[in-house]
Amino acid sequence: MDQDEALTTVDNIVTQFNTYEDFLDSQITTLDLYYLEDEGLARQLVELGYRGTGEVVKREDFEARKAAIEIARLAERTQKKTLTSAGKDLHDNFLKALAAREEDNRSGKVSVSAFHSEIKNVYLKGRLSVIFIRDKNSRGQEVSGYIDYAHRLKTEDFEVYFSGKKRLLPRPTDMSFYNWDSHIAVWNSTPNYQVIADNPEGLLFKYKRDRKILNVDPKAQPGDNSTRSPIITELYTQAVIFDHVSRRKT
């Protein structure tokens, strides 16, 4: 049996039985109980592979896979309930780009990868986005800044942006904010990123989960596991979205 088949087999077992004990009991026959006269001993023999009528699955593999499936299920249910872009008729590329990233940035997109022999090594992948915007504010002043999309989603209702009632603009409370008329510059670290403002080569952001550096200089590479996507939009003078994918093992 190859790795994909083994993983599928474990998934089928995990979804069929609520607990590992239920799975063990399904492998025990009445004849086993007659001769052994001990349900606990019968379970141990099935777990070790000496008895049973089906596949051998380790307890740690069963429990790790069960937890991973539950995490994915809860994340999907939460995301479906909270996506403010869902059902919106979006025409501008910028809003479409935000909508495509909303699910990931709200709770981190969970992806589980494991092999049959290493199912306890569950990997969680999450994508966070940093939004750069340059345009004029309501006073006609040119402003620009970098926005932690995930953080703003948690602290603000994006319904007004996806519905077109307001435009998303950088604020003095965002990761960075610069008013080109008043020359006011502000930097703020967020729950996801640490701002490195004293770098001689330009502004940097350090992702707190995996400590990777995001370089927003358009002439430089954005960094490990990061991408830079300029957005052609009618809403702003300039818009760029940086995406960073992290991977950590539970």
Side-chain angles (χ1 to χ4, degrees):
M1 182 182 297
D2 63 26
Q3 292 171 335
D4 290 338
E5 290 177 348
L7 187 55
T8 300
T9 299
V10 175
D11 282 349
N12 291 336
I13 291 172
V14 165
T15 53
Q16 184 178 354
F17 299 100
N18 291 326
T19 67
Y20 186 65
E21 284 68 26
D22 289 343
F23 162 68
L24 294 177
D25 290 344
S26 72
Q27 304 293 300
I28 300 172
T29 66
T30 54
L31 192 62
D32 291 333
L33 292 175
Y34 176 80
Y35 284 110
L36 295 173
E37 298 181 345
D38 188 327
E39 185 180 47
L41 177 59
R43 286 177 174 175
Q44 290 179 19
L45 292 176
V46 172
E47 188 169 356
L48 293 172
Y50 295 117
R51 307 289 294 180
T53 59
E55 295 294 332
V56 177
V57 178
K58 295 180 181 179
R59 180 182 296 272
E60 58 266 30
D61 294 347
F62 180 96
E63 293 178 348
R65 198 66 184 150
K66 192 81 170 178
I69 291 174
E70 180 65 11
I71 289 172
R73 186 186 68 82
L74 291 175
E76 182 179 3
R77 186 176 67 180
T78 300
Q79 289 156 6
K80 286 181 178 179
K81 287 183 178 180
T82 58
L83 292 182
T84 52
S85 61
K88 298 290 191 304
D89 186 15
L90 306 175
H91 299 285
D92 189 82
N93 291 331
F94 178 78
L95 294 179
K96 290 178 181 179
L98 290 191
R101 293 163 170 81
E102 184 186 2
E103 181 177 334
D104 292 3
N105 279 270
R106 280 202 178 275
S107 58
K109 194 164 188 175
V110 177
S111 116
V112 179
S113 61
F115 293 124
H116 180 60
S117 60
E118 296 180 318
I119 295 178
K120 57 181 175 296
N121 294 327
V122 178
Y123 288 94
L124 301 181
K125 284 186 179 181
R127 177 172 72 165
L128 291 186
S129 305
V130 173
I131 305 166
F132 173 78
I133 290 174
R134 181 168 65 90
D135 204 70
K136 291 186 177 182
N137 60 19
S138 58
R139 298 179 180 179
Q141 299 172 322
E142 185 173 355
V143 297
S144 63
Y146 292 89
I147 299 170
D148 181 342
Y149 187 26
H151 183 52
R152 282 282 286 265
L153 280 170
K154 289 183 179 180
T155 57
E156 188 177 357
D157 186 1
F158 266 62
E159 174 70 26
V160 292
Y161 302 127
F162 285 119
S163 64
K165 295 177 182 178
K166 291 178 62 177
R167 286 189 314 140
L168 179 67
L169 285 173
R171 298 173 175 173
T173 54
D174 282 316
M175 295 170 66
S176 81
F177 174 85
Y178 184 68
N179 186 310
W180 292 81
D181 289 27
S182 64
H183 303 291
I184 294 176
V186 182
W187 296 275
N188 303 285
S189 292
T190 70
N192 300 309
Y193 282 94
Q194 175 188 343
V195 178
I196 303 175
D198 57 357
N199 177 52
E201 297 180 359
L203 192 63
L204 300 174
F205 301 114
K206 179 188 287 186
Y207 185 45
K208 291 183 178 179
R209 178 177 293 179
D210 61 11
R211 305 183 68 80
K212 299 290 186 180
I213 297 295
L214 173 63
N215 190 337
V216 295
D217 183 348
K219 298 179 181 179
Q221 293 297 317
D224 293 342
N225 304 327
S226 296
T227 58
R228 181 182 187 274
S229 303
I231 309 296
I232 299 175
T233 172
E234 297 180 358
L235 298 177
Y236 304 99
T237 302
Q238 184 181 7
V240 180
I241 298 180
F242 298 85
D243 293 309
H244 179 78
V245 177
S246 70
R247 175 173 173 167
R248 62 185 175 87
K249 186 170 68 174
T250 61

